[in-house]
Amino acid sequence: MSSPANADLSRQRMLTIARFALHLITASLSVATAIRAIASGVPLLPAMLAAGVFLAWYATGAAFARGRFAGWWLGGLSILWLGMLLLSAEFVWLSFPLLLLAGHVLRRWASVVFAVPVLAAAILAPILHQVPITFAHVVGPLLGGGFALAISLGYDALLRDAVEREGLIASLVRTQDEMASLQEELARTQRDAGASHERTRLARDLHDTIAQELSSMVLIARSGEAERMPQIEALAQHSLGDLRRIVAALAPAELEESALVAAVGRMLEALRLDTGIETALAAEADLPLLATSQEVVFLRVAQSALANIRQHAHARHVSAAFAAGTGDVTMTVSDDGVGFIADRATMPPTSYGLSAMSSRLREFGGSLDVRSAPEEGTTLIATLPVGQASPEGRE
C-alpha cells in the first residue's frame, strides 16, 4: 500500500497533466476555428478578436476562478461562445472544451443540464448561417459533446474516489497510531499496577513477619532478663528465615542487566580475581529461552557451587558450561580440587549446600548429579526441563 504522501503526489501529477491537456485543446481549437472562420469569409479582425477575448477569459478563470465563482466564469465563457457562433458556425468546435469544463466545474446533474443548450446551439449554428445540414452536423456534436462530458464526469469521479480513499487511509493510519498509543498506555498501566501490587505484598509480608518479630525482640530485650536471650535468638533466626523467603521470591540483581550465561561469567571472573583460580565458561549458541524463575535456580546453584569451591576445593581450575538436551538444559560446574566421596552415607558435614541445590532443582522438576572422588575434583550437573512451570505457577 502506498503512503498518503505518495498518493497525494500522484493525484497532483494527474491533475496537472489533465489541466495542461485541457488548456492545449482549448488554445488549439480557438486558433483553428478562428482560421477556419476567416477562410469561410469572416473578417480577420472580428474573428481574431473573438478568439482572443475567449482565450483571455478562459485563461483568467483557469488561473483565479475557484469555488462558486467557477460556475459564473463558465457561464461567461458560454456567453462569449454563443456570441462567436453568431460570427461563424466554425466556432461550434469550442463546445468540446466547454463540456469538458462542465464536468469539473459543475455538479453531475448541473453539468448534464448545461450540456443540453450547448449541444442544441452547436446543432443549430449551421442553420443560423444557412449551411446545408447533414447527418454529420447533428451526430457529430452529439457524439463528440457527449463523449467529452462523459470523460470529464468519469475523470472527476475517479479523482473524488481517490480523495476519499486517501482520507480513509489517513484515518486508518491515525486509528492504528491511536491503538498503538493505547496499547502502550495499557502496558504501562499494567506494569505500574504490577509494581504497586508487588510493593503491597512485600510491605504486608514484612509487616506480618519480620516487623512483628522485631517488635517482640525489642520488648523482650527491654525486660533485661538474661534467661530470655535464647528466645530472642530464636526469634532472630525465624526472622532471618522469613527474610530469606521473601528475598528468594524476587529476581536476583545479577539477572537484571544481562542473561544467565553472562551473570555466571561475571561470577567466575570475580572468583578468578579473588583467588587466582583459572576459570572457563562455555555455552551452546542455541540454548532455549528460559523462564526467569529457571534462570534464578541455575544462578543460585552456580553461586553455591562456586562458594563451595572457594572454601573447600583448593582447586586450580574451574569451568562452567551450559548445554541444551532433548527437552532440558544442563549447567555443569567442574573443578580439579581435592574432591570427596560422592556418597550420601559418607557425605561430609559441609554438604548442606549440595542438599539445598538438589532441593531447589527438584522444586522445578530438575535434578542434581554430583560426581566426585578424593583428589579427582568434583563435577556438578544441574538439569532443568525447558518450559517447566515454576512452583508458584503450579499452586
Side-chain angles (χ1 to χ4, degrees):
M1 181 183 294
S2 62
S3 65
N6 290 337
D8 186 66
L9 181 62
S10 177
R11 185 168 63 89
Q12 290 297 330
R13 188 181 297 114
M14 290 172 60
L15 282 173
T16 301
I17 294 174
R19 287 168 181 163
F20 176 78
L22 180 58
H23 299 337
L24 182 62
I25 290 171
T26 303
S28 300
L29 285 177
S30 297
V31 173
T33 53
I35 293 174
R36 286 178 62 86
I38 295 171
S40 65
V42 176
L44 175 64
L45 182 60
M48 298 303 296
L49 183 62
V53 172
F54 182 87
L55 285 176
W57 183 257
Y58 173 85
T60 302
F64 302 106
R66 297 293 184 274
R68 59 190 182 91
F69 295 104
W72 292 103
W73 164 71
L74 181 61
L77 195 65
S78 302
I79 293 173
L80 287 175
W81 174 68
L82 291 175
M84 296 169 71
L85 289 180
L86 297 177
L87 286 176
S88 173
E90 298 296 337
F91 291 113
V92 71
W93 297 102
L94 290 177
S95 61
F96 298 132
L98 287 178
L99 294 175
L100 285 173
L101 285 172
H104 291 295
V105 174
L106 304 176
R107 296 182 181 273
R108 178 173 301 178
W109 291 111
S111 62
V112 174
V113 173
F114 174 83
V116 173
V118 170
L119 293 175
I123 294 172
L124 295 175
I127 299 175
L128 176 65
H129 292 276
Q130 299 180 353
V131 176
I133 300 298
T134 64
F135 180 76
H137 284 93
V138 177
V139 176
L142 290 176
L143 291 179
F147 185 70
L149 181 62
I151 290 177
S152 179
L153 291 175
Y155 186 76
D156 197 59
L158 288 176
L159 289 179
R160 284 197 300 269
D161 290 342
V163 171
E164 292 177 0
R165 184 166 55 252
E166 291 169 16
L168 290 174
I169 293 174
S171 177
L172 179 60
V173 171
R174 287 194 301 270
T175 302
Q176 290 177 337
D177 293 340
E178 291 174 0
M179 288 294 295
S181 177
L182 288 175
Q183 289 176 347
E184 291 178 0
E185 181 66 23
L186 178 59
R188 184 163 52 251
T189 301
Q190 290 175 338
R191 288 195 299 268
D192 294 342
S196 177
H197 176 74
E198 185 65 13
R199 286 194 296 268
T200 301
R201 185 188 67 82
L202 288 174
R204 183 175 59 249
D205 287 350
L206 292 172
H207 176 269
D208 294 343
T209 56
I210 299 175
Q212 296 293 342
E213 291 165 355
L214 288 176
S215 298
S216 299
M217 285 188 286
V218 170
L219 292 175
I220 295 173
R222 286 177 179 175
S223 68
E225 299 176 4
E227 62 272 13
R228 302 190 66 179
M229 289 300 296
Q231 187 178 358
I232 294 178
E233 182 181 359
L235 286 172
Q237 290 289 348
H238 192 269
S239 297
L240 183 59
D242 286 338
L243 182 59
R244 286 173 174 169
R245 176 183 60 80
I246 294 172
V247 171
L250 303 175
E254 290 88 345
L255 293 175
E256 289 179 356
E257 299 296 336
S258 61
L260 171 65
V261 176
V264 173
R266 288 197 301 271
M267 292 165 55
L268 288 170
E269 180 64 15
L271 177 67
R272 186 187 67 80
L273 294 176
D274 292 343
T275 64
I277 298 175
E278 294 298 324
T279 61
L281 176 64
E284 293 183 356
D286 57 347
L287 285 176
L289 185 65
L290 295 173
T292 301
S293 56
Q294 293 176 311
E295 291 186 336
V296 171
V297 172
F298 272 135
L299 185 69
R300 295 309 186 205
V301 171
Q303 286 175 329
S304 298
L306 294 180
N308 287 340
I309 292 171
R310 184 192 296 263
Q311 296 177 17
H312 309 295
H314 305 289
R316 296 186 303 274
H317 298 88
V318 176
S319 65
F322 290 88
T326 304
D328 58 28
V329 174
T330 61
M331 179 185 69
T332 304
V333 180
S334 302
D335 69 76
D336 60 354
V338 297
F340 57 90
I341 300 175
D343 183 4
R344 292 188 179 277
T346 58
M347 196 75 75
T350 57
S351 65
Y352 173 77
L354 295 175
S355 300
M357 284 186 256
S358 180
S359 176
R360 187 187 293 272
L361 287 164
R362 283 197 306 271
E363 290 178 0
F364 287 80
S367 62
L368 179 68
D369 186 16
V370 182
R371 303 174 185 177
S372 183
E375 306 303 323
E376 294 185 6
T378 302
T379 297
L380 302 181
I381 303 175
T383 304
L384 281 178
V386 177
Q388 178 69 42
S390 66
E392 294 78 7
R394 297 195 299 267
E395 291 180 353

